[in-house]
Amino acid sequence: MMRFSTLMKHPADWMTGADTDSAIVLTSRIRLARNITGAPFPGWARKNERMAILPELRDKVETLPEMKDAFSHQLSELSSVQKQVLVERHLISREQAARSEGSAIVVNRDQTLSVMINEEDHLRLQSIRSGLHLREAYQLIANVDKELEQVLPYAFDHELGYLTACPTNVGTGLRASAMLHLPGLVISDHIGQVIQAVGKLGLAVRGIFGEGTESLGHLFQISNQSTLGESEEDILNRLERVIQQVREQERNARSKLLEEDPQMLADKISRAYGQLKYAYVIDSKEALTHLSLVRLGSDMGCFPKQAMELCDSLLMDIEPAHLQHKAERKLAPEERDTMRAEIIRSRLQNLSSPVINFITS
Amino acid sequence: MMRFSTLMKHPADWMTGADTDSAIVLTSRIRLARNITGAPFPGWARKNERMAILPELRDKVETLPEMKDAFSHQLSELSSVQKQVLVERHLISREQAARSEGSAIVVNRDQTLSVMINEEDHLRLQSIRSGLHLREAYQLIANVDKELEQVLPYAFDHELGYLTACPTNVGTGLRASAMLHLPGLVISDHIGQVIQAVGKLGLAVRGIFGEGTESLGHLFQISNQSTLGESEEDILNRLERVIQQVREQERNARSKLLEEDPQMLADKISRAYGQLKYAYVIDSKEALTHLSLVRLGSDMGCFPKQAMELCDSLLMDIEPAHLQHKAERKLAPEERDTMRAEIIRSRLQNLSSPVINFITS
């Protein structure tokens, strides 16, 4: 079985896929909520009821061919830092990390597939792919779903579809989402408009860590709101079309900034690099903003292509739990800010100064 | 006679004196106000009265041995940018630049001595020296004063002393001041205390461009307030003692910051360098703050010794009129911000990254 340290050493497959394709849409994520008939939903169940069903669920998940040599743990076996690391990697939810008794997590080797057991629902199947590949991500998880359905009695109603703990998930149980990098829309102050327009189409726009979280690093998640009355195919199609439109709007916003105020753009990108390269104390929020701008600069050709991947891996590595896991102890916020700056400075050593090729002077 | 372009090409002697001695006290400046008996004070005189006395005054000043090959011009011959440049170099006052008819400026070759003719008073003799050298600066100007007194009928009252346009200058006509770099006291938030204490001793603390101006780049001027009832010697002694004390307080503030929060100090110094090196748009105020911190870093050994001189010459060269003189045209504020950033980036090319030797990590 895969150990926690192994999980940590390797970035997830979807984290290293940064290329032209994922310059704006970083990742596509699919989550299916499934429950076992006859057993109370885990959120309402008592601890012993959750514990009773856990071994069977875990066994079925671990024996999936996709889960060969997987990372599989009861959450109660993990330290709070380890659990926070899994949250930062989008492998478990904050809620599951907080209330971990009787629940487990199984993650495949390349961290593209994960199954939360006894979170709000008995099973939450998740797949992540880099770039805009909702359908591929869906295919991946649909296969797992089919395999599990053959060996587990899913709670399914022929009128409603899959039954879930929260009514907002009933039906397909499908939540599809993409993470988008939208600095152009933020800088040009058009992001509010876009969020509103997307909302009117029945889709949700949220910050980087889901519901109720602030947008950091100009990163936004767009996802479907309704799970009922539409086929999986329809949900994915509609979401994909909207994401393509937002991607186009982001491209337009960038072109317009480039045309209308290249000095300002050069200043933002170049200074962001300067701040990251020279800070000795930096909080997460500030670091994410600068990384976002270096990422933008990379897409604009100011940095070599590797810069984007560097930014994407740093996005994760400078999160509080990742820092504490690396330090092998709890860190006070000030210690984290110092360590974060150190890591960034060291990783940026091989990234040369920006070449601002879009202004003439 | 020296041309304006020659004046511009050469930094003043006191601007290039940056060394340990002038790390905190950048310059010492003495100004004497003198008037001619029987002629109305220039501020109250009509233009033709000012014009009538100007040739004689100018002739006497130009023929001083100290003023060989001097820069000598009627202010009305100079463009508004040229006049602003002289203000930025502390060679004429803002008031004189604004109301220039019938007045003139004579500056010696190394820009350490200057005489304003028909400003508020008929003559304002000024000397600047780098470092804390009030007495030497005074000696320099006292010689000029003596020479002029032999050939011009000074307005002098045996009770009051030298008569001046403004009663605050009557007596010695002496204003002695020093420019101090006090980032330690500003960062540690002790500057308010110091300003108050200095004020109680009858001395004034002001920003970089005199009365009513904001402190920029952590630079402060300390000067005597009263000119009456004290000998020149007493004024200079008292001022020097206070300046030495403030210098000591600045040193203590730096040591304390170094001891109590070296990370914060490293962060400020290093980031200031990063901002200057990577900005494409920067206003004067921000640039002065960053230059101040690099200057501080230089004194702390983070940069080679030349860095201090680089900062001091940039302090002047990034001022609005200096930029416009270099560009040979009027510049809109946004153009200045872009040009300022360009100049700073180019000058910093030979200044290597800070070496933060006071933190262990």
Side-chain angles (χ1 to χ4, degrees):
Chain A
M1 201 203 287
M2 187 178 175
R3 292 189 310 172
F4 192 84
S5 57
T6 314
L7 182 90
M8 286 304 297
K9 251 181 253 153
H10 302 286
D13 244 29
W14 57 267
M15 285 164 60
T16 60
D19 55 19
T20 318
D21 185 52
S22 58
I24 294 175
V25 184
L26 279 83
T27 56
S28 300
R29 192 145 58 104
I30 304 285
R31 185 265 287 155
L32 296 178
R34 296 293 184 255
N35 288 279
I36 305 307
T37 191
F41 292 127
W44 309 343
R46 270 164 306 186
K47 187 188 155 190
N48 62 347
E49 292 175 311
R50 289 204 302 276
M51 292 302 283
I53 202 172
L54 181 62
E56 195 198 342
L57 293 178
R58 205 174 150 187
D59 177 62
K60 294 290 186 287
V61 172
E62 283 179 2
T63 51
L64 287 165
E66 289 86 349
M67 289 300 183
K68 192 165 179 287
D69 296 324
F71 171 84
S72 173
H73 278 282
Q74 280 202 44
L75 263 70
S76 53
E77 298 164 5
L78 300 173
S79 71
S80 74
V81 165
Q82 286 177 323
K83 283 185 284 193
Q84 272 313 115
V85 164
L86 297 178
V87 171
E88 290 171 359
R89 292 211 169 187
H90 301 280
L91 295 173
I92 63 173
S93 63
R94 288 186 177 189
E95 295 70 26
Q96 197 184 14
R99 193 196 45 127
S100 47
E101 280 296 344
S103 74
I105 172 75
V106 184
V107 184
N108 73 339
R109 273 203 90 77
D110 60 14
Q111 299 173 52
T112 54
L113 274 179
S114 59
V115 179
M116 286 191 261
I117 302 173
N118 283 343
E119 200 239 23
E120 184 181 288
D121 297 296
H122 287 125
L123 294 171
R124 290 211 157 184
L125 319 177
Q126 181 181 267
S127 65
I128 310 189
R129 295 295 305 255
S130 117
L132 179 52
H133 295 293
L134 288 167
R135 233 166 302 264
E136 290 175 34
Y138 178 72
Q139 212 42 64
L140 211 63
I141 210 65
N143 289 340
V144 171
D145 185 41
K146 239 174 257 158
E147 287 160 4
L148 287 175
E149 195 154 23
Q150 288 166 9
V151 293
L152 288 171
Y154 275 178
F156 184 83
D157 179 282
H158 283 278
E159 290 270 305
L160 292 170
Y162 292 100
L163 301 178
T164 55
C166 178
T168 59
N169 293 317
V170 168
T172 55
L174 169 72
R175 179 85 65 222
S177 68
M179 194 189 292
L180 282 80
H181 184 221
L182 306 175
L185 288 168
V186 173
I187 294 170
S188 65
D189 214 15
H190 286 107
I191 191 71
Q193 251 170 271
V194 171
I195 290 177
Q196 221 177 11
V198 172
K200 280 185 186 153
L201 296 169
L203 301 173
V205 184
R206 301 192 182 95
I208 185 175
F209 282 111
E211 213 149 350
T213 63
E214 202 184 347
S215 151
L216 293 172
H218 311 129
L219 292 170
F220 296 85
Q221 284 187 68
I222 301 183
S223 60
N224 64 313
Q225 296 260 50
S226 67
T227 53
L228 197 62
E230 256 184 323
S231 71
E232 286 85 351
E233 188 61 18
D234 289 346
I235 292 173
L236 295 178
N237 280 342
R238 198 152 58 88
L239 183 63
E240 187 168 69
R241 237 174 311 135
V242 171
I243 290 169
Q244 282 165 343
Q245 277 167 23
V246 173
R247 181 167 64 184
E248 197 51 34
Q249 286 171 316
E250 169 65 16
R251 288 232 173 84
N252 290 342
R254 293 182 187 186
S255 303
K256 212 157 179 195
L257 286 172
L258 210 46
E259 194 183 306
E260 288 176 1
D261 203 348
Q263 297 286 357
M264 180 268 280
L265 209 55
D267 190 59
K268 277 188 185 291
I269 292 169
S270 179
R271 280 186 190 234
Y273 172 84
Q275 298 273 19
L276 293 171
K277 198 165 170 71
Y278 290 104
Y280 276 75
V281 181
I282 194 165
D283 66 24
S284 179
K285 190 173 171 180
E286 190 195 348
L288 289 173
T289 303
H290 297 327
L291 285 170
S292 163
L293 291 167
V294 170
R295 198 178 190 284
L296 172 66
S298 165
D299 189 49
M300 292 184 147
C302 308
F303 298 99
K305 279 288 158 217
Q306 317 75 289
M308 199 174 283
E309 200 168 316
L310 177 67
C311 288
D312 290 354
S313 65
L314 270 171
L315 279 182
M316 203 64 92
D317 292 343
I318 60 169
E319 290 293 328
H322 275 73
L323 293 179
Q324 295 178 83
H325 183 265
K326 192 181 161 86
E328 297 179 339
R329 63 183 181 92
K330 284 253 172 200
L331 298 170
E334 311 82 61
E335 292 178 300
R336 296 207 295 262
D337 291 351
T338 304
M339 183 178 173
R340 182 179 294 113
E342 242 177 78
I343 290 175
I344 294 173
R345 286 202 313 280
S346 121
R347 296 268 201 100
L348 254 67
Q349 245 161 20
N350 296 322
L351 182 61
S352 52
S353 297
V355 177
I356 305 294
N357 42 17
F358 53 79
I359 55 171
T360 50
S361 75
Chain B
M1 201 202 289
M2 188 178 174
R3 293 190 310 173
F4 192 84
S5 57
T6 314
L7 182 88
M8 286 304 298
K9 253 180 249 152
H10 302 285
D13 244 29
W14 57 267
M15 285 164 62
T16 60
D19 54 19
T20 319
D21 185 52
S22 58
I24 294 175
V25 183
L26 280 82
T27 56
S28 301
R29 192 145 58 106
I30 304 286
R31 184 265 285 153
L32 295 178
R34 296 294 184 255
N35 287 279
I36 305 306
T37 191
F41 292 128
W44 308 343
R46 270 164 306 184
K47 187 189 154 191
N48 61 346
E49 291 176 310
R50 288 204 303 276
M51 292 302 284
I53 202 172
L54 181 62
E56 196 198 342
L57 293 178
R58 206 173 149 187
D59 177 61
K60 292 292 186 286
V61 172
E62 284 179 1
T63 51
L64 287 166
E66 288 87 349
M67 289 301 183
K68 192 163 179 288
D69 296 325
F71 172 84
S72 172
H73 277 283
Q74 281 203 43
L75 263 71
S76 54
E77 299 163 5
L78 300 173
S79 72
S80 73
V81 165
Q82 287 176 322
K83 282 185 283 191
Q84 273 312 114
V85 163
L86 296 179
V87 171
E88 290 171 359
R89 292 211 168 187
H90 300 282
L91 293 173
I92 63 174
S93 63
R94 287 188 177 187
E95 294 69 28
Q96 196 184 13
R99 192 196 45 128
S100 47
E101 280 296 345
S103 73
I105 174 74
V106 183
V107 183
N108 74 338
R109 272 202 93 75
D110 60 13
Q111 298 173 53
T112 53
L113 274 178
S114 59
V115 179
M116 286 191 260
I117 302 173
N118 283 344
E119 201 237 23
E120 184 180 288
D121 297 296
H122 286 125
L123 294 170
R124 289 209 157 186
L125 320 177
Q126 181 181 267
S127 65
I128 309 188
R129 295 294 305 256
S130 114
L132 179 52
H133 295 293
L134 289 167
R135 233 168 302 264
E136 289 175 35
Y138 178 71
Q139 211 42 62
L140 212 63
I141 211 65
N143 290 339
V144 170
D145 185 39
K146 239 174 257 157
E147 287 159 4
L148 287 174
E149 196 155 21
Q150 286 166 10
V151 292
L152 287 171
Y154 275 180
F156 184 83
D157 178 282
H158 282 278
E159 289 271 306
L160 291 170
Y162 292 100
L163 300 179
T164 57
C166 179
T168 59
N169 292 317
V170 168
T172 55
L174 170 72
R175 178 86 66 223
S177 68
M179 195 189 290
L180 281 81
H181 184 222
L182 306 176
L185 288 168
V186 173
I187 295 169
S188 64
D189 215 15
H190 285 108
I191 191 71
Q193 253 171 269
V194 170
I195 290 177
Q196 224 178 7
V198 171
K200 280 186 186 153
L201 297 169
L203 301 174
V205 184
R206 304 192 179 95
I208 184 174
F209 282 112
E211 214 149 349
T213 63
E214 203 184 347
S215 151
L216 293 171
H218 311 129
L219 291 171
F220 296 85
Q221 284 186 66
I222 302 183
S223 60
N224 64 313
Q225 296 261 50
S226 67
T227 53
L228 197 61
E230 256 185 321
S231 71
E232 287 85 351
E233 189 60 19
D234 289 347
I235 292 173
L236 296 179
N237 279 342
R238 199 151 58 89
L239 184 63
E240 187 168 69
R241 238 173 311 138
V242 171
I243 291 169
Q244 282 166 343
Q245 277 166 26
V246 173
R247 182 167 65 182
E248 197 52 33
Q249 286 171 316
E250 170 65 17
R251 291 231 172 85
N252 290 342
R254 293 184 186 185
S255 303
K256 209 153 181 200
L257 286 171
L258 210 47
E259 193 184 307
E260 288 175 1
D261 203 347
Q263 297 285 357
M264 180 268 279
L265 208 55
D267 190 59
K268 278 190 184 288
I269 292 169
S270 179
R271 280 188 191 232
Y273 172 85
Q275 298 273 17
L276 293 171
K277 200 166 168 72
Y278 290 104
Y280 276 74
V281 181
I282 194 165
D283 66 24
S284 178
K285 191 174 169 178
E286 189 195 348
L288 289 173
T289 303
H290 296 328
L291 284 171
S292 163
L293 291 167
V294 170
R295 198 179 190 281
L296 172 66
S298 164
D299 188 50
M300 292 185 145
C302 308
F303 299 99
K305 280 286 158 215
Q306 320 70 294
M308 200 175 282
E309 200 168 317
L310 176 68
C311 288
D312 291 354
S313 66
L314 271 171
L315 279 183
M316 201 65 91
D317 292 344
I318 61 169
E319 290 293 328
H322 274 73
L323 292 178
Q324 295 179 82
H325 183 265
K326 193 181 161 85
E328 297 180 341
R329 63 182 181 92
K330 284 253 172 202
L331 298 170
E334 312 80 62
E335 291 178 300
R336 295 207 296 263
D337 291 350
T338 305
M339 183 177 173
R340 183 179 293 112
E342 242 177 79
I343 291 176
I344 294 173
R345 287 202 313 280
S346 121
R347 297 268 202 100
L348 254 68
Q349 246 162 18
N350 295 321
L351 182 62
S352 51
S353 297
V355 176
I356 306 294
N357 43 16
F358 52 80
I359 54 170
T360 51
S361 76

